[in-house]
Amino acid sequence: MVGFVRTAIVVICVASSVLAQSDDTNPNNCPYACQISERYTEGCGWLNWSRCSKYRMKTSICYKPCATTATPPTTTSECTEYPCLMFHDNFDTLDFKVWEHELTAGGGGNWEFQFYTNNRTNSYVRDGVLYIKPTLTADQFGEAFLTSGKLELWGGGPHDTCTGNAFYGCERTGSNANIINPIQSARLRSSRGLNFKYGKVEISAQLPMGDWLWPAIWMLPTYTECGRWPASGEIDIMESRGNRHYYDANGRSVGVDAYGSTLHFGPDYFNNGWSRAHQSWVKETGTYGDEFHTYGVEWDEDAITFSFDGRQTLRVTPGETGFWGFGEFNKTGYENPWKDAPKIAPFDKEFYIILNVAVGGFNYFDDSYNNTAYPKPWTDATASQFWAAKDQWYPTWNPDVRGGEDAALKIDSVKVWKLK
Ligand SMILES: *[C@@H]1O[C@H](CO)[C@@H](O)[C@H](O)[C@H]1NC(C)=O
Ligand SMILES: *[C@@H]1O[C@H](CO)[C@@H](O)[C@H](O)[C@H]1NC(C)=O
Ligand SMILES: *[C@@H]1O[C@H](CO)[C@@H](O)[C@H](O)[C@H]1NC(C)=O
Ligand SMILES: *[C@@H]1O[C@H](CO)[C@@H](O)[C@H](O)[C@H]1NC(C)=O
């Protein structure tokens, strides 16, 4: 297995007695007080064996003090009094029993430009905050990798196995026309450790700033019982775009001073009633990237109600005909998959939470929007055009200041209450 000698920078933080390991290419990005030492390690990459020597994969290891005082998130299975805080994570630690990293290059059905890793460069906790930070694939594998490398995410072990092969998500070979996803990022889901039906969710978050970043805090159904997306529903608590000066055709901001909440539901991809259950807001002063705010949803048998800093923002009540009537789906000719279910169906099942930062792709950065600093650099979902315009967008991520964390989605806490 061991093929070539490659350089690795090993970063060792002065730590308390217990050490936990995490990875980071750039010692400056190590989120802990570090001592840096260099040494050579032997090994070959997991990409393409015959190309291993070309890609000097800098595996740097950043040791962080394993906070002995860290409290893992608390989960209460039995509530006796209500409201009952059934789950509380303040990210003293990144609890892998709750948060599973998705591993895929599939691009979420939008041919987004990132692939998702389980790597402490892209997801880590520091001082009680979870960071989801996008980085450049070329920084790890070299620029040539994008057009001539091979990305394989198949893996093998638990939490190391590709989680989504749809849209060529587990394996991609780069070419000039189809480059390998130029961004590495992270997407965490709670389905192994936290699933719930009805209640209240509050997530304190500071949104990433930087062009074409697409952060999301959302929920999907655990069992997909009513059928494939969007038949089993989707609850988007917060979606935003990192661009600082970005407007729709009416001149309304769709950048980092705006965000939206949405429900997705319908019998198939083409019949999705989301536009009836969607609202976006523009901040009067400043942006959502300036500080932490609380994004919430409260959800019961009658309604799904979104909130911002504790104030109600959007309330969706399907009415007596349920979401089928609400979406006017009887004209689709489909049989109603929710017909024998409560009117709140498909939202009458367990859901789990997802936290992620995507980049670019199809759909969300509409061609009609105006990025005033320079035009949207790609058409359709052409990652090569996006990558070729790196000198325009990458500086807006502020990679060289504050550890590049302006571009990170920061999550201070996740709380879930049972209300009855
Ligand atoms: C790996 O790299 C070699 C050398 O460039 C190339 O010939 C081969 O096709 C690659 N293999 C895969 C599976 O991409
Ligand atoms: C994690 O990411 C860093 C920076 O891109 C890289 O150097 C390191 O090799 C990665 N670790 C793994 C296990 O892929
Ligand atoms: C479809 O729903 C509307 C509104 O509820 C109703 O008026 C109409 O009769 C329904 N059509 C069919 C074919 O069921
Ligand atoms: C985009 O906004 C800029 C600055 O306000 C303006 O000069 C430009 O004409 C707009 N472009 C389009 C296509 O609306």
Side-chain angles (χ1 to χ4, degrees), residues 128-371:
V129 174
L130 167 68
Y131 292 77
I132 298 181
K133 188 173 96 178
T135 57
L136 304 182
T137 307
D139 282 353
Q140 182 174 350
F141 300 113
E143 179 108 21
F145 177 73
L146 300 179
T147 49
S148 54
K150 185 169 183 189
L151 180 67
E152 284 197 55
L153 301 175
W154 295 110
H159 298 268
D160 178 44
T161 306
C162 184
T163 57
N165 191 34
F167 310 102
Y168 312 99
C170 297
E171 183 174 315
R172 287 188 177 189
T173 303
S175 68
N176 287 323
N178 290 307
I179 65 169
I180 288 184
N181 310 39
I183 307 295
Q184 305 183 166
S185 187
R187 168 162 152 165
L188 277 57
R189 65 182 175 196
S190 75
S191 50
R192 289 194 192 213
L194 173 68
N195 300 281
F196 54 96
K197 169 177 136 180
Y198 304 144
K200 183 167 86 167
V201 180
E202 282 192 348
I203 296 178
S204 170
Q206 183 177 359
L207 307 193
M209 292 205 247
D211 290 354
W212 320 115
L213 300 174
W214 177 2
I217 295 174
W218 51 305
M219 304 206 290
L220 279 176
T222 307
Y223 301 110
T224 317
E225 286 166 74
C226 301
R228 297 186 71 180
W229 192 88
S232 294
E234 172 183 322
I235 301 173
D236 296 342
I237 301 172
M238 183 291 300
E239 279 185 287
S240 183
R241 301 173 186 84
N243 301 52
R244 288 177 182 79
H245 305 286
Y246 195 44
Y247 305 94
D248 72 10
N250 301 317
R252 185 181 148 94
S253 179
V254 286
V256 68
D257 54 343
Y259 86 95
S261 299
T262 313
L263 299 179
H264 292 271
F265 56 97
D268 72 5
Y269 182 93
F270 301 100
N271 294 282
N272 178 345
W274 70 271
S275 62
R276 294 156 198 266
H278 164 80
Q279 188 71 254
S280 66
W281 299 274
V282 179
K283 209 165 183 305
E284 279 173 21
T285 54
T287 78
Y288 296 108
D290 298 338
E291 64 246 331
F292 285 92
H293 290 283
T294 302
Y295 301 85
V297 67
E298 192 173 319
W299 161 43
D300 64 17
E301 296 90 337
D302 296 316
I304 298 172
T305 307
F306 296 94
S307 65
F308 176 76
D309 285 343
R311 294 188 308 276
Q312 178 178 322
T313 48
L314 169 67
R315 181 172 171 85
V316 182
T317 46
E320 290 313 311
T321 56
F323 277 98
W324 192 257
F326 186 67
E328 292 182 21
F329 294 131
N330 61 359
K331 62 187 178 205
T332 62
Y334 282 101
E335 192 184 337
N336 179 355
W338 317 315
K339 68 177 186 302
D340 298 321
K343 67 181 180 190
I344 202 74
F347 303 100
D348 63 330
K349 302 282 194 293
E350 290 191 356
F351 277 66
Y352 62 90
I353 297 171
I354 305 171
L355 311 168
N356 69 275
V357 176
V359 180
F362 210 59
N363 291 329
Y364 199 56
F365 295 92
D366 198 281
D367 284 344
S368 70
Y369 295 169
N370 185 359
N371 187 60

